Amino acid sequence: PSRPGSRCRSKSPSRPGSRAKSRGRSRGSSQGKGKSSGSPSGFSEFISPEKRKEINDRSRARRLRPAFAACEAGDFETLVNIVTDAEKFGDMPHSEERTLCINAIDSAIKEQTFLHIAAYYGYLDIAQLFCSFPELNIEAVDWHGMTPLLLAAKKNNVAVAKVILRRGGDPEKCDKFGRSLLLFSRYPTVHSLLVETRTDRVDQTAA
């Protein structure tokens, strides 16, 4: 019992719903934090290397569609403008992105590179352009296992084949069906090219 005249201290009753509101605010704040971690910048930190590569490959494929269209049409001027655009083809020689762009394949055209397309149609200027890039993979193969050199020989585009040979194309390569440059020597021009190539190799070996 309290002493007479003493003041009783009693806990002031909390207003109905005040605690619920405070809980709601704390819960809402934690949800807000969760949302901020789900922002694009935060989400990108959790992308696996494989998924990141897939995203980059798709982006590159979309970016290079005009380049492949110009190459197939033999539009050299447009292709040069695209190739020299740092945003589309990479800004530094030997950089990973530039190497990937120069050796990119167009899945719509039998998984062929720019050099494959030039070899198929006999576009000498385009072949010379891409053979001038040190990042070029001269032995890239399409879905038939054909190198640009084999494709140029198959289409009897000897001028392009000579450019590829001078760039280091291997005349002994075969496609996945076992076809080599020798098979396409039924064309007199390709036969002369093959003889010339083998003569040069014999001379180099002798020297």
Side-chain angles (χ1 to χ4, degrees):
S2 59
R3 289 178 298 176
S6 64
R7 300 176 71 177
C8 293
R9 295 182 180 179
S10 59
K11 294 182 179 179
S12 59
S14 58
R15 287 176 296 176
S18 61
R19 185 176 297 178
K21 286 183 181 178
S22 64
R23 286 181 181 175
R25 281 195 296 270
S26 62
R27 191 179 296 118
S29 62
S30 64
Q31 287 176 354
K33 290 181 181 178
K35 286 182 180 179
S36 64
S37 64
S39 62
S41 58
F43 180 70
S44 64
E45 297 175 4
F46 301 99
I47 298 177
S48 66
E50 294 79 10
K51 186 64 176 179
R52 189 183 300 276
K53 180 181 181 301
E54 181 184 344
I55 293 172
N56 290 339
D57 288 346
R58 287 180 180 176
S59 174
R60 187 180 305 107
R62 288 193 299 269
R63 200 172 67 243
L64 294 181
R65 280 175 189 166
F68 277 109
C71 185
E72 190 178 13
D75 188 347
F76 181 72
E77 184 177 349
T78 299
L79 185 59
V80 169
N81 290 335
I82 297 173
V83 169
T84 54
D85 187 336
E87 292 185 0
K88 294 180 180 178
F89 252 76
D91 56 350
M92 295 183 65
H94 301 288
S95 67
E96 181 182 1
E97 184 60 29
R98 185 164 179 82
T99 301
L100 289 171
C101 287
I102 289 171
N103 296 294
I105 59 172
D106 187 0
S107 58
I109 312 178
K110 301 181 180 180
E111 297 183 358
Q112 293 177 344
T113 64
F114 291 101
L115 188 57
H116 276 102
I117 298 170
Y120 182 88
Y121 289 105
Y123 297 145
L124 182 60
D125 49 0
I126 295 177
Q128 289 171 331
L129 172 66
F130 279 88
C131 283
S132 69
F133 297 135
E135 304 93 344
L136 179 73
N137 177 14
I138 199 73
E139 303 297 351
V141 296
D142 64 8
W143 67 350
H144 286 149
M146 297 195 79
T147 63
L149 178 59
L150 281 175
L151 198 54
K154 179 183 178 183
K155 302 302 293 184
N156 198 25
N157 293 322
V158 176
V160 173
K162 285 183 177 180
V163 170
I164 297 171
L165 278 169
R166 284 197 296 268
R167 178 61 172 74
D170 187 355
E172 304 297 331
K173 283 274 188 179
C174 298
D175 66 6
K176 67 181 183 182
F177 303 109
R179 297 178 296 184
S180 68
L181 198 63
L182 183 62
L183 177 68
F184 304 116
S185 65
R186 65 181 184 274
Y187 300 116
T189 49
V190 175
H191 179 78
S192 300
L193 177 64
L194 185 59
V195 170
E196 179 184 333
T197 302
R198 292 191 170 181
T199 302
D200 290 344
R201 288 198 167 195
V202 169
D203 291 342
Q204 290 175 2
T205 304

